[in-house]
């Protein structure tokens, strides 16, 4: 697997997670952000974790679990 194909696969997996867990796209990514945006990211993380746990428990999660 080349670096480019590995990066594309990683982006595809990330896109799947964002879509399946209904994470707002504007909260995805890293970098310097204001405190209110950091808090929004944290709250979205908590919701996504709860959604993931519920989907796994109900057998609805069909791809590998994110780390």
């Amino acid at each position: 697997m080349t670096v480019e194909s590995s990066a594309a696969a990683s982006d595809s997996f990330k896109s799947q997670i964002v879509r399946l867990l209904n994470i707002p796209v504007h909260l995805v990514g890293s970098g310097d952000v204001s405190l209110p945006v950091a808090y929004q990211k944290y709250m979205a993380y908590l919701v996504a974790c709860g959604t993931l746990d519920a989907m796994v428990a109900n057998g609805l999660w069909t791809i590998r679990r994110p780390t």
Side-chain angles (χ1 to χ4, degrees):
M1 183 177 276
T2 66
V3 172
E4 292 83 15
S5 63
S6 176
S10 176
D11 285 345
S12 175
F13 182 63
K14 181 178 176 180
S15 296
Q16 282 183 310
I17 291 172
V18 168
R19 183 178 46 79
L20 290 171
L21 297 178
N22 298 316
I23 300 170
V25 177
H26 73 278
L27 298 177
V28 175
S30 60
D32 291 337
V33 295
S34 66
L35 185 58
V37 174
Y39 183 72
Q40 287 178 338
K41 286 178 163 236
Y42 171 70
M43 294 304 293
Y45 166 79
L46 293 178
V47 170
C49 286
T51 301
L52 175 64
D53 290 343
M55 289 179 79
V56 168
N58 293 326
L60 300 173
W61 191 257
T62 58
I63 61 175
R64 68 180 167 96
R65 284 187 73 141
T67 57

